[in-house]
Amino acid sequence: MSDSTKSGPAEVTLAAGDKNVVLPVQYPTLGAPCIDVARLPKETGCFTYDPGFTATASCKSAITYIDGDQGVLLYRGYPIEQLAEQSSFLEVAYLLMNGELPDRNEFAKFEHEVTHHTMMHERLKNFFQGFQYDAHPMAMLAATVASLSAFYHDTLDLEDPEQRRLAAIRLLAKMPTLAAAAYRYSIGWPIRFPRNNLDYVNRFLHMMFEVPSEPLEMNPVVAKALDLLFILHADHEQNASTSTVRLVGSTGANPYASVAAGITALWGPAHGGANEAVLKMLAEIGTPDKVDAAVARAKDKNDSFRLMGFGHRVYKNFDPRAKIIREMTHKVLGELGIDDPLLEVAMKLEEAALKDDYFVQRKLYPNVDFYSGIIYKALKIPTEMFTVMFAIGRTAGWVAHWLEQQVDPENKIGRPRQIYTGAATRDYVAIDRR
Ligand SMILES: CC(=O)SCCNC(=O)CCNC(=O)[C@H](O)C(C)(C)COP(=O)(O)OP(=O)(O)OC[C@H]1O[C@@H](n2cnc3c(N)ncnc32)[C@H](O)[C@@H]1OP(=O)(O)O
Ligand SMILES: O=C([O-])CC(=O)C(=O)O
């Protein structure tokens, strides 16, 4: 991890158009310096062009730090490895939202409050009845989370810190309830309300899997594995879904609408939807002897096939979460007595890609989504629910970023510019003369 960037030039001079402009350089606590280009348009009439924001910091944040070259991930300064080993998801959620780890009293109060807000409104149940029977659970999750703003008018005054805090708690508390309801509706089971004598993860598992005729036996291996996966997915600075939450939040939209937008951004296969795509890809490859053909396809620029769960915008060495999940996969499958042939396919695929020049040169490594699906499968989570699982964990990060943004004095509506490539000015031609 580098902090050598704390000193350096305070400004740089840039030639833009026919002018020189002096731009300030900002130095973060950790990580690379940033040239602040905000005054560029006013002083020179020029903009920066950066499709995909590969070179752009969109905000300041004190929540999460990533060093992509060293494979470092810190939540509020704490290494992900330590949190994965010693913390719990709810404690991590508190940390992300509040900036510090809670003491016993603070944690008890937080857990009590989250537990108190797990119920979904009776009328929300009707929403599920309205969906097509084969609706994807991410569609149901996004729609029902957005609809929370229609039920909780007592948290829509964004000027009130207590209302903001309560909205964040509600989102964290209700996400598993809505997720489990989406699943149960999709398989035609009646919705289960949350049992508040259970902890966060066991409550979710109960809502997912309880069948009236067979009381559900809570399995500590399953609960521990899921808790750990939620921790690993909780935040990842300005990823596409969190940036979406912030973009929507920057307009003054309410937190339920902002987080619902984050859910839809997460759904894409280039982002959180990759976990579902990985499992489908591994199943399609089927056996280790077909791995080389899949790697060859992934390298072929005339073939749109990519190795799902491989590559990352920021990690260019390894994704520390993938490392933890890979170890965990062996442990969890062993503890549950599961022998999944897809694990062998995944390991062979990783091995083949990591010694292939194409992947080495492009610094493509397994990301968080590569092995997570194999564990979800072992926990009996259906493939279509994988990205929903990601969303439950990521809610902690989304609400933490939304809360941070609301008090950021530099928050402005997110409004990029474009390079216009259309027709130059021309005169309208009447339809009978075209
Ligand atoms: C939780 C998450 O969101 S983690 C990411 C989950 N997404 C996936 O696993 C999907 C597969 N991976 C990808 O599509 C990409 O690696 C992303 C979206 C994660 C990152 O994209 P970017 O940072 O824009 O990298 P980009 O797409 O430019 O890739 C760089 C080069 O590597 C290649 N590449 C990147 N990922 C892959 C892959 N998975 N398989 C094959 N080639 C790949 C690209 O074709 C490109 O090659 P080129 O330089 O010859 O044109
Ligand atoms: O950071 C990213 O671009 C994607 C990612 O790994 C995440 O959101 O967890």
Side-chain angles (χ1 to χ4, degrees):
M1 188 188 327
S2 139
D3 64 353
S4 58
T5 52
K6 280 186 207 154
S7 63
E11 31 189 49
V12 293
T13 305
L14 200 78
D18 55 1
K19 291 197 179 109
N20 280 342
V21 60
V22 179
L23 298 172
V25 181
Q26 307 231 4
Y27 290 90
T29 329
L30 295 172
C34 245
I35 301 168
D36 181 346
V37 295
R39 63 191 200 214
L40 190 65
K42 227 181 237 165
E43 295 191 13
T44 69
C46 289
F47 293 92
T48 53
Y49 176 56
D50 181 20
F53 312 118
T54 58
T56 298
S58 60
C59 62
K60 291 179 185 157
S61 177
I63 301 173
T64 287
Y65 172 73
I66 302 171
D67 182 332
D69 294 325
Q70 302 297 321
V72 170
L73 170 59
L74 310 176
Y75 291 167
R76 298 284 189 184
Y78 296 102
I80 191 66
E81 292 80 3
Q82 291 181 24
L83 294 168
E85 177 89 30
Q86 300 173 56
S87 188
S88 68
F89 171 64
L90 217 50
E91 186 179 66
V92 164
Y94 181 100
L95 172 69
L96 292 170
M97 289 162 70
N98 297 288
E100 296 297 334
L101 286 167
D103 64 23
R104 274 188 201 288
N105 284 339
E106 287 164 336
F107 183 72
K109 202 167 152 239
F110 182 68
E111 187 173 35
H112 177 79
E113 210 177 3
V114 170
T115 304
H116 181 75
H117 287 286
T118 50
M119 289 293 281
M120 82 168 123
H121 199 285
E122 237 344 90
R123 283 171 187 250
L124 242 175
K125 268 169 72 179
N126 301 334
F127 279 57
F128 289 95
Q129 303 302 327
F131 288 108
Q132 180 79 0
Y133 71 96
D134 57 355
H136 194 286
M138 282 296 277
M140 292 192 258
L141 191 68
T144 51
V145 168
S147 81
L148 292 176
S149 41
F151 291 96
Y152 299 108
H153 295 143
D154 58 340
T155 45
L156 299 183
D157 177 1
L158 306 188
E159 297 296 313
D160 179 345
E162 182 48 27
Q163 293 200 25
R164 295 197 299 262
R165 196 189 65 82
L166 181 55
I169 295 271
R170 281 208 177 111
L171 279 158
L172 189 66
K174 292 182 198 305
M175 199 63 75
T177 312
L178 297 174
Y183 167 61
R184 289 183 81 99
Y185 177 73
S186 71
I187 55 166
W189 285 4
I191 288 169
R192 283 279 161 267
F193 281 122
R195 264 184 42 184
N196 285 345
N197 58 335
L198 297 172
D199 65 20
Y200 191 87
V201 168
N202 278 302
R203 185 164 56 234
F204 169 68
L205 288 167
H206 181 265
M207 286 187 285
M208 279 281 289
F209 296 121
E210 199 264 345
V211 187
S213 51
E214 310 157 28
L216 183 70
E217 232 178 82
M218 306 315 283
N219 182 337
V221 173
V222 172
K224 172 93 192 95
L226 199 53
D227 194 69
L228 183 46
L229 286 165
F230 286 162
I231 293 175
L232 297 176
H233 287 87
D235 193 41
H236 216 238
E237 53 120 298
Q238 303 312 316
N239 62 84
S241 56
T242 303
S243 297
T244 302
V245 170
R246 277 187 177 261
L247 184 62
V248 177
S250 78
T251 69
N254 70 67
Y256 309 106
S258 304
V259 168
I263 294 171
T264 57
L266 186 73
W267 195 359
H271 188 17
N275 57 13
E276 183 177 333
V278 168
L279 209 85
K280 288 181 174 157
M281 173 189 75
L282 294 176
E284 246 171 67
I285 296 173
T287 48
D289 59 306
K290 306 262 172 53
V291 157
D292 289 343
V295 170
R297 271 194 73 193
K299 295 191 293 181
D300 182 354
K301 293 292 176 195
N302 297 315
D303 188 332
S304 63
F305 176 77
R306 281 190 167 198
L307 282 195
M308 299 312 287
F310 254 80
H312 198 277
R313 173 63 63 76
V314 186
Y315 292 122
K316 298 299 171 198
N317 183 337
F318 66 94
D319 178 338
R321 303 165 300 173
K323 224 175 176 177
I324 297 171
I325 297 179
R326 185 179 44 203
E327 278 167 29
M328 184 187 165
T329 307
H330 292 284
K331 188 162 172 274
V332 171
L333 266 63
E335 284 172 349
L336 295 175
I338 292 173
D339 179 17
D340 186 343
L342 292 190
L343 177 57
E344 209 191 321
V345 177
M347 283 174 5
K348 181 82 203 296
L349 191 57
E350 179 183 359
E351 190 194 320
L354 292 187
K355 57 180 194 223
D356 190 294
D357 274 356
Y358 174 97
F359 292 87
V360 174
Q361 279 161 11
R362 289 169 179 75
K363 301 187 173 166
L364 303 170
Y365 295 86
N367 59 49
V368 68
D369 290 321
F370 190 67
Y371 281 104
S372 63
I374 295 179
I375 304 193
Y376 289 137
K377 183 169 172 247
L379 306 185
K380 305 218 173 349
I381 308 277
T383 315
E384 289 207 330
M385 284 293 286
F386 289 2
T387 315
V388 173
M389 298 294 111
F390 194 150
I392 296 175
R394 187 52 57 89
T395 301
W398 289 332
V399 298
H401 280 271
W402 181 82
L403 286 169
E404 185 183 60
Q405 178 183 44
Q406 298 308 305
V407 292
D408 179 353
E410 292 180 12
N411 180 41
K412 272 177 172 311
I413 185 168
R415 204 315 185 175
R417 299 302 302 267
Q418 63 173 9
I419 297 183
Y420 176 67
T421 58
T425 311
R426 51 187 171 163
D427 289 325
Y428 180 81
V429 179
I431 194 163
D432 52 359
R433 285 198 285 116
R434 281 176 226 157

